[in-house]
């Protein structure tokens, strides 16, 4: 029962954190900003509209949003939010889930290419390139966490005798891995300094230009998948930073989502004080994360089991 409640809570709260980022950015700009429930209103508005399809698109264009949302929801099924047992868990689920994210991205790229728009093709190429650069970092981090915890499941990462946590025996190594994971989170969720979700210039867009032709329920599905992915990454970091220590599930959930909200605030601060990088600097930024976690792997090879 706790697993079902944890999943439902994560699903309901996922649209809130992107609004927190918007609110922080507005505060830095001296504006009031949109209400925290803006994404819930947007979701309802999109679901009440109809989708418009170009005559040049095929069934692939319609399939992209469905698979994008489905893969985003599957991330929530396997993650132990606030230390609660996830609905599904097995040895190796971390690898399956990251490849499922790749599957969702693959179909989003296919849908963009299906429009035959040069702008969307440009965005799809950038998305594929930057994501492929982030992939070695992700799997190096997972290898490090496997060496520390002896598990290849998200539930095992945080419940093993040697959990992946800043307060654990490998706190220094985990801290550097968390910094690398933060860069991966910014990359995978198309945030500044890699991408700017608020830009209106097609030539500078990456993710947003890929979904320009989607509308109505299709756009709602894409946004839902993106919100779930952001919640997944922020929860991954929150689980590393704070490990549940209380018997009450409610107290654990409140504290856990409080840490998730602080990570969302940090993203808003980064986006407010940092300019978006030029395209030629983005690969170097992403590869810095790989260099960081690879250095950690070398340092811990002799110590981690």
């Amino acid at each position: 029962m706790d697993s079902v409640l944890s999943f439902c809570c994560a699903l309901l709260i996922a649209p809130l954190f992107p609004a927190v980022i918007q609110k922080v950015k507005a505060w830095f700009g001296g504006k009031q900003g949109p209400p925290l429930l803006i994404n819930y209103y947007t979701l309802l508005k999109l679901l009440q509209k109809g989708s418009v399809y170009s005559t040049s698109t095929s069934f692939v264009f319609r399939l992209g949003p469905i698979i994008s949302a489905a893969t985003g929801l599957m991330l929530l099924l396997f993650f132990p939010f606030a230390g609660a047992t996830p609905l599904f868990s097995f040895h190796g689920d971390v690898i399956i889930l990251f490849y499922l994210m790749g599957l969702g991205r693959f179909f989003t790229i296919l849908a963009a290419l299906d429009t035959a728009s040069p702008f969307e093709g440009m965005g799809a190429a950038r998305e594929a390139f930057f994501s492929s650069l982030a992939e070695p970092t992700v799997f190096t981090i997972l290898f490090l966490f496997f060496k520390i915890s002896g598990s290849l499941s998200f539930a095992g990462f945080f419940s093993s005798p040697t959990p992946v946590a800043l307060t654990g025996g490998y706190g220094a190594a985990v801290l550097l891995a968390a910094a690398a994971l933060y860069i991966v989170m910014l990359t995978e969720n198309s945030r500044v300094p890699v991408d700017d979700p608020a830009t209106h210039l097609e030539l500078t867009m990456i993710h947003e230009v890929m979904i320009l032709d989607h509308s109505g329920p299709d756009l709602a599905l894409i946004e839902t998948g993106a919100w779930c992915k952001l919640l997944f990454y922020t929860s991954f970091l929150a689980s590393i930073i704070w490990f549940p220590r209380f018997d009450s599930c409610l107290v654990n959930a409140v504290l856990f989502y409080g840490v998730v909200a602080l990570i969302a605030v940090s993203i808003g601060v980064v986006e407010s004080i940092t300019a978006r990088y030029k395209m030629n600097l983005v690969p170097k930024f992403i590869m810095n994360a790989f260099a960081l976690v690879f250095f950690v792997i070398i340092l811990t090879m002799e110590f981690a089991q």
Side-chain angles (χ1 to χ4, degrees):
M1 188 63 184
D2 289 344
S3 302
V4 176
L5 289 176
S6 174
F7 169 74
C8 294
C9 180
L11 188 60
L12 288 174
I13 207 170
L16 182 65
F17 298 107
V20 171
I21 297 173
Q22 289 178 280
K23 200 74 174 176
V24 172
K25 291 173 67 176
W27 184 78
F28 268 85
K31 304 173 185 174
Q32 185 176 358
L36 288 175
L37 299 179
I38 181 65
N39 289 328
Y40 298 95
Y41 302 144
T42 303
L43 192 64
L44 289 175
K45 183 177 69 177
L46 291 174
L47 290 175
Q48 291 171 355
K49 294 185 175 181
S51 295
V52 178
Y53 300 107
S54 166
T55 54
S56 65
T57 58
S58 66
F59 73 97
V60 175
F61 185 78
R62 295 166 174 78
L63 200 58
I66 297 171
I67 296 183
S68 176
T71 53
L73 291 175
M74 287 196 70
L75 296 176
L76 306 187
L77 291 173
F78 284 83
F79 197 84
F81 294 99
T85 304
L87 278 174
F88 301 103
S89 179
F90 56 85
H91 188 67
D93 62 10
V94 291
I95 297 174
I96 298 294
L97 287 183
F98 276 100
Y99 274 107
L100 277 174
M101 269 194 282
L103 181 70
R105 182 182 305 110
F106 175 72
F107 273 91
T108 304
I109 290 173
L110 280 185
L113 296 176
D114 196 46
T115 61
S117 164
F119 280 125
E120 298 201 23
M122 177 191 65
R126 289 172 177 172
E127 173 105 353
F129 177 54
F130 294 148
S131 298
S132 64
L133 290 180
E135 187 173 306
T137 307
V138 169
F139 284 96
T140 309
I141 291 172
L142 296 182
F143 176 73
L144 173 66
F145 289 174
F146 169 69
K147 295 287 287 183
I148 292 174
S149 66
S151 174
L152 262 181
S153 69
F154 281 112
F157 279 169
F158 308 113
S159 61
S160 71
T162 54
V164 177
L166 290 181
T167 55
Y170 299 94
V174 172
L175 176 62
L176 294 176
L181 185 62
Y182 192 89
I183 294 176
V184 170
M185 177 185 68
L186 296 178
T187 304
E188 291 286 314
N189 291 280
S190 304
R191 311 300 311 193
V192 175
V194 176
D195 192 8
D196 185 359
T199 182
H200 299 289
L201 302 174
E202 288 89 346
L203 284 174
T204 64
M205 291 179 178
I206 297 178
H207 179 75
E208 292 299 317
V209 75
M210 294 170 53
I211 60 175
L212 280 179
D213 280 351
H214 291 286
S215 58
D218 287 346
L219 185 57
L221 288 173
I222 290 176
E223 294 292 348
T224 302
W227 296 333
C228 291
K229 189 161 73 170
L230 180 63
L231 177 61
F232 165 77
Y233 273 102
T234 50
S235 297
F236 198 177
L237 278 169
S239 298
I240 293 171
I241 295 170
W242 177 77
F243 195 73
R245 299 180 179 83
F246 302 96
D247 294 332
S248 170
C249 295
L250 180 61
V251 173
N252 286 336
V254 170
L255 292 175
F256 177 80
Y257 285 113
V259 176
V260 172
L262 288 177
I263 295 172
V265 169
S266 75
I267 296 174
V269 172
V270 168
E271 296 198 354
S272 300
I273 64 175
T274 307
R276 177 183 168 172
Y277 288 157
K278 294 180 180 178
M279 286 296 170
N280 61 334
L281 294 180
V282 172
K284 296 176 183 177
F285 173 71
I286 299 172
M287 292 310 294
N288 280 337
F290 176 73
L292 185 63
V293 74
F294 188 73
F295 177 67
V296 175
I297 286 285
I298 293 175
L299 289 179
T300 56
M301 280 182 68
E302 295 295 329
F303 305 104
Q305 295 180 354

